[in-house]
Amino acid sequence: MPSEDTADPWRRVEVRVEGIVQGVGFRPFVHGLAERFALSGQVGNDSAGVLAEVEGPRESVASFLRALPAEAPALADVQHCSVTDRPPRGTSGFRIAHSDSSGPRRTLVSADAATCAACLAELFDPHDRRYRYPFVNCTGCGPRYTIVRDVPYDRGNTTMAGFDLCEPCAREYHDPADRRYHAQPVCCPDCGPTLRLVDSGGAVRGGDPLAGAAELLRAGAVVAVKGLGGYHLAVDATSAPATARLRARKHREDKPFAVMVASLADARRLCAVDDPAERLLTSRRRPIVLLDRRRAGVADAVAPGNRELGLMLPYTPLHHLLLADTGLPLVLTSGNVSDEPIAFTDGDARGRLAGIADAFLLHDRPIHVRADDSVVRPWRGDGVVLRRSRGYAPEPLPVAWEFPRPVLACGAEQKNTVCLASGRRVVVSHHIGDVGNAETLTAFTQAVEHLSRLFDITPAVVAHDLHPDYAATRYAVELADSAGLDAIGVQHHHAHIASCLADNGVAGPVIGVAFDGTGYGTDGTVWGGEFLLATLADFERAGHLAPVPLPGGAAAVRQPWRMAASYLHRDPGSERLAVARRQGGRWDQVVSLARSGVNSPLTSSAGRLFDAVAAILGVRDTVTYEGQAAIELEQRADPHEGGAYPAPVAEREGRLVVDSGALVRAVVDDHCRGTDAAVVAARFHRGLAKAVRRTCDLIAERTGVRTVAVSGGVFANRLLLDRTVDELADAGFTVLTHRRLPCNDGGISAGQAVVAAARDRSAS
């Protein structure tokens, strides 16, 4: 390019913008910028993003180029912007060109966004033509990913294709000065989707559907509500009978329900809401935010025995209206029976939810992609994502390294996500769930196909877990065989640590602390309390929790008391403990099973360690959902207790082994002395955190590595995470934790993808 002082004062440039730049008002934004700086040219969408040509005085073009990324619309995410000089043409005027769908697809699809302030004002304005219309939206808000069938993101490629625009909506849609210019879901009561309320038998109820649904909810009924990414089951959160009825019908005995409230003021009445929590609650993503609850405000059955409550604010106009009409906080939980995927088609919802819901509040805008609500927790001034789904997916995450070949990573068995990766970004799917369930496996394959098409990624490599019986592993191996792809197996805990590295842009080496419930080890045993010396490409198992039998295999996961028997099977007199007496003759049977090793594979699982302690303290003998015993143990712990139980670390066969049994014996001793369970639980948490510090210290002495990456579902435990991070930081370690990706198995697919790419790079 010529220097500024000798260049022609007139300049024409072609500007290629990539990222989330379609469906977010980017073209009218560019049009407005061009008019502001009196430039000529055009702007249009294509399969790669947005392509603009602008021409005018050199200084004006420079001002345009500075403003383009700096002033982009709120929902836009400009990830790359390239500028190429072209010969001036002397054109006049600026226009918005038609979309071009040819060429490779590199454009990014926006996540669904909560109703913006401008649309909300219209929704409650009696003089507006969209007054109380439950589908109001614009380029700054509304459905995106859940309605997109293909790209470019134009109306014909969404589930709004069947709704012809009325004349007023068409004028808005085609007016570059209007905030609804090319807002693909734009509609109004005359031309858009409509609501209807039907009973459990399918008969349409007369009158205003919203008013009817609100009346039913106030009367204690269960109403299935069709939302953005699927159906929710709603009840009055203040009603003990209504919440109990929903639990019984949904077969969800204990797992907490999420609650939607109308405003921040309502949220503050139910929970402690600080500034980080407020930012999360009010963000355009509108996740469920886990917050410390106050004593009153909702029925105990909403979150039984739990100090926290999952709160969210309305994110669709329908939610705003329903909350306004009921005047109540509402339980809004996934529309499914426990362990099934969320229902998202009308037929599926009517079939699966008919025995749960008393009525259905439906609409006729199809949902193309099911998406559960995302879950986050405030932590140290920011938020950590525990379930990344609606509002976040499928927005790609940039990574620090190049993918030599496109990768499909198939994730884990539970909390499954899939990941497609190419260039320098990973696309992690919405939350899929437990792919051991046949319906969820179908959702898994649909997610792979849809994301591959949307992002035009044809994988050359497929990455998978090492466990041969995982449905996701079988899918990966069969796909590799049938399509001639390279299959790369990635050890479960290595994938956890690699996910944390990707989250932080660090390649290693690090000391990886991976604590979870179950992962298939390279030695065929069940891992879950691991200390890895890891890079992206490889790892060495440097240490682990002491292995103990898993008596009865999967039965021990459902019955934590079995893990108490396993940890104590060598201790004389354990049968006199309260946990043993509660089991009667079964205790001796399981102790014998653990001693014999029959149907008792060895495990180093941190999750099972928490189970044992929870059972000993009488917190939980059996569970009804994954991680329940550990969650309730954390809830029981006194956060102000400063004591810690010892856990010696010794070397065995070249690896460091944490004597987790010493923690359990200390728990038993204190418990038998009558020490309060809250104090014992806290000392256990602190003792485990100090054991992590001691083990990392020993590994660092041998290797010189002073960075620790912390991952795995056990670290969703806020108390353990806090104590562990503080211990490591006090010891002088740099500590990496998750922020953008879940620490649990929802982040496994991204970890698998970056491991596969690292191995590709090291092989080249």
Side-chain angles (χ1 to χ4, degrees):
M1 291 175 57
S3 63
E4 291 291 331
D5 57 345
T6 61
D8 190 306
W10 199 261
R11 187 183 182 193
R12 184 179 187 87
V13 295
E14 180 181 278
V15 186
R16 157 69 60 200
V17 188
E18 296 182 24
I20 299 171
V21 291
Q22 291 189 13
V24 294
F26 206 87
R27 287 178 297 170
F29 159 69
V30 172
H31 183 277
L33 272 188
E35 290 195 331
R36 182 168 121 202
F37 295 113
L39 301 173
S40 62
Q42 66 177 29
V43 62
N45 283 344
D46 63 15
S47 295
V50 167
L51 184 65
E53 293 183 16
V54 295
E55 181 174 352
R58 179 170 290 273
E59 289 184 2
S60 297
V61 171
S63 297
F64 171 90
L65 294 175
R66 284 192 296 270
L68 188 68
E71 301 177 19
L75 297 187
D77 180 8
V78 177
Q79 296 187 358
H80 183 68
C81 186
S82 61
V83 179
T84 306
D85 276 275
R86 300 296 187 197
R89 294 179 181 171
T91 58
S92 60
F94 195 91
R95 71 185 186 94
I96 295 177
H98 293 294
S99 297
D100 177 9
S101 60
S102 62
R105 301 174 184 175
R106 296 196 303 276
T107 189
L108 307 182
V109 177
S110 172
D112 303 274
T115 308
C116 69
C119 285
L120 198 58
E122 293 175 342
L123 182 68
F124 289 105
D125 180 358
H127 304 293
D128 193 277
R129 70 187 188 93
R130 292 187 174 90
Y131 174 58
R132 289 185 59 83
Y133 181 57
F135 305 98
V136 57
N137 67 88
C138 68
T139 54
C141 67
R144 297 291 188 275
Y145 177 51
T146 52
I147 65 169
V148 173
R149 291 192 174 111
D150 210 341
V151 293
Y153 177 64
D154 286 329
R155 193 178 180 94
N157 286 331
T158 75
T159 61
M160 288 296 295
F163 297 92
D164 293 330
L165 290 171
C166 66
E167 186 177 341
C169 285
R171 281 198 303 269
E172 294 170 331
Y173 183 85
H174 292 291
D175 180 1
D178 196 284
R179 81 173 199 281
R180 291 192 168 92
Y181 176 76
H182 279 236
Q184 307 310 334
V186 66
C187 55
C188 75
D190 293 331
C191 65
T194 57
L195 287 179
R196 67 186 188 281
L197 182 65
V198 303
D199 64 25
S200 58
V204 177
R205 296 173 63 105
D208 177 12
L210 268 168
E215 182 181 356
L216 286 169
L217 288 166
R218 286 194 299 270
V222 178
V223 179
V225 180
K226 186 177 181 181
L228 270 183
Y231 279 77
H232 286 104
L233 293 165
V235 295
D236 173 5
T238 68
S239 169
T243 52
R245 190 177 304 117
L246 176 58
R247 283 204 178 278
R249 294 180 185 178
K250 189 175 161 71
H251 305 297
R252 184 166 169 168
E253 296 176 41
D254 305 297
K255 192 174 184 180
F257 288 136
V259 174
M260 181 176 278
V261 292
S263 66
L264 270 174
D266 290 336
R268 289 192 173 97
R269 277 190 281 272
L270 299 182
C271 292
V273 179
D274 59 10
D275 288 344
E278 179 177 334
R279 288 194 296 271
L280 292 169
L281 283 167
T282 58
S283 76
R284 64 180 175 87
R285 305 182 188 280
R286 287 293 201 279
I288 297 168
V289 184
L290 301 182
L291 300 169
D292 291 332
R293 63 187 292 187
R294 302 191 188 281
R295 289 183 178 272
V298 297
D300 289 341
V302 170
N306 204 306
R307 292 179 185 171
E308 290 184 324
L309 195 61
L311 285 188
M312 56 181 162
L313 294 181
Y315 55 85
T316 71
L318 176 58
H319 292 142
H320 281 283
L321 292 168
L322 200 55
L323 285 160
D325 288 1
T326 59
L328 297 167
L330 297 177
V331 165
L332 220 62
T333 187
S334 299
N336 57 8
V337 179
S338 292
D339 298 326
E340 291 181 354
I342 186 173
F344 75 109
T345 65
D346 297 343
D348 183 37
R350 293 286 307 282
R352 285 202 283 142
L353 305 181
I356 304 176
D358 299 304
F360 292 76
L361 184 59
L362 311 173
H363 60 74
D364 53 354
R365 183 182 68 204
I367 299 169
H368 189 65
V369 178
R370 75 177 96 212
D372 282 280
D373 294 313
S374 296
V375 181
V376 303
R377 171 183 278 135
W379 189 68
R380 301 197 173 191
D382 200 351
V384 291
V385 177
L386 299 178
R387 184 168 74 190
R388 188 179 184 273
S389 200
R390 180 206 41 85
Y392 292 84
E395 294 181 3
L397 299 173
V399 293
W401 318 279
E402 187 77 22
F403 284 84
R405 295 183 292 170
V407 176
L408 164 65
C410 294
E413 186 83 345
Q414 295 183 320
K415 294 182 172 64
N416 178 269
T417 60
V418 298
C419 176
L420 283 153
S422 67
R424 284 178 173 262
R425 66 191 185 204
V426 296
V427 179
V428 180
S429 74
H430 52 284
H431 169 80
I432 296 171
D434 181 359
V435 291
N437 176 296
E439 290 194 29
T440 315
L441 183 58
T442 299
F444 167 93
T445 58
Q446 290 171 342
V448 172
E449 293 163 3
H450 187 52
L451 288 173
S452 298
R453 183 171 62 254
L454 277 189
F455 292 88
D456 199 22
I457 296 176
T458 302
V461 180
V462 57
H464 59 83
D465 195 272
L466 293 183
H467 199 302
D469 294 330
Y470 279 2
T473 300
R474 292 197 299 269
Y475 172 90
V477 172
E478 291 167 6
L479 177 65
D481 288 344
S482 63
L485 308 180
D486 287 340
I488 294 179
V490 181
Q491 199 279 325
H492 187 90
H493 301 95
H494 185 207
H496 268 308
I497 299 306
S499 173
C500 185
L501 294 179
D503 211 342
N504 289 274
V506 174
V510 298
I511 301 169
V513 183
F515 281 6
D516 64 0
T518 300
Y520 194 81
T522 55
D523 59 359
T525 65
V526 182
W527 292 6
E530 307 308 310
F531 296 86
L532 309 180
L533 187 62
T535 64
L536 286 174
D538 209 350
F539 76 96
E540 171 191 341
R541 193 185 192 198
H544 52 81
L545 301 185
V548 295
L550 190 67
V557 179
R558 298 188 297 271
Q559 299 173 357
W561 70 265
R562 287 174 175 260
M563 290 311 303
S566 176
Y567 268 97
L568 299 172
H569 76 273
R570 298 188 186 280
D571 289 11
S574 65
E575 69 278 359
R576 293 192 294 272
L577 292 173
V579 62
R581 294 197 302 271
R582 290 195 299 270
Q583 312 316 318
R586 296 188 302 168
W587 180 266
D588 289 339
Q589 293 170 7
V590 169
V591 165
S592 296
L593 194 66
R595 287 173 178 166
S596 71
V598 175
N599 191 23
S600 299
L602 291 176
T603 180
S604 59
S605 168
R608 303 291 79 81
L609 170 63
F610 273 81
D611 285 351
V613 174
I616 290 166
L617 294 181
V619 173
R620 176 64 56 178
D621 284 351
T622 61
V623 299
T624 61
Y625 64 90
E626 183 194 9
Q628 181 180 8
I631 290 168
E632 293 182 0
L633 181 65
E634 178 196 2
Q635 297 289 326
R636 185 71 64 89
D638 179 356
H640 305 296
E641 168 60 32
Y645 297 132
V649 181
E651 184 172 344
R652 298 178 195 167
E653 300 178 354
R655 295 195 189 98
L656 297 171
V657 178
V658 178
D659 186 358
S660 45
L663 289 171
V664 174
R665 290 189 294 273
V667 165
V668 170
D669 290 345
D670 250 3
H671 183 54
C672 289
R673 282 193 288 265
T675 306
D676 187 272
V679 172
V680 178
R683 290 174 179 173
F684 164 72
H685 279 80
R686 279 189 173 274
L688 184 56
K690 286 183 178 294
V692 170
R693 172 179 176 164
R694 282 193 295 274
T695 308
C696 290
D697 270 332
L698 291 170
I699 296 171
E701 287 174 9
R702 299 176 181 187
T703 64
V705 175
R706 302 292 304 173
T707 300
V708 179
V710 174
S711 189
V714 169
F715 284 109
N717 180 319
R718 183 174 55 178
L719 180 60
L720 180 66
L721 181 64
D722 274 331
R723 299 296 178 259
T724 301
V725 169
D726 288 345
E727 288 286 346
L728 292 169
D730 287 347
F733 287 100
T734 298
V735 187
L736 308 179
T737 61
H738 286 267
R739 294 286 184 176
R740 302 177 299 164
L741 290 166
C743 66
N744 56 43
D745 282 6
I748 284 283
S749 62
Q752 291 170 343
V754 295
V755 169
R759 292 179 184 171
D760 247 6
R761 291 192 299 272
S762 63
S764 61

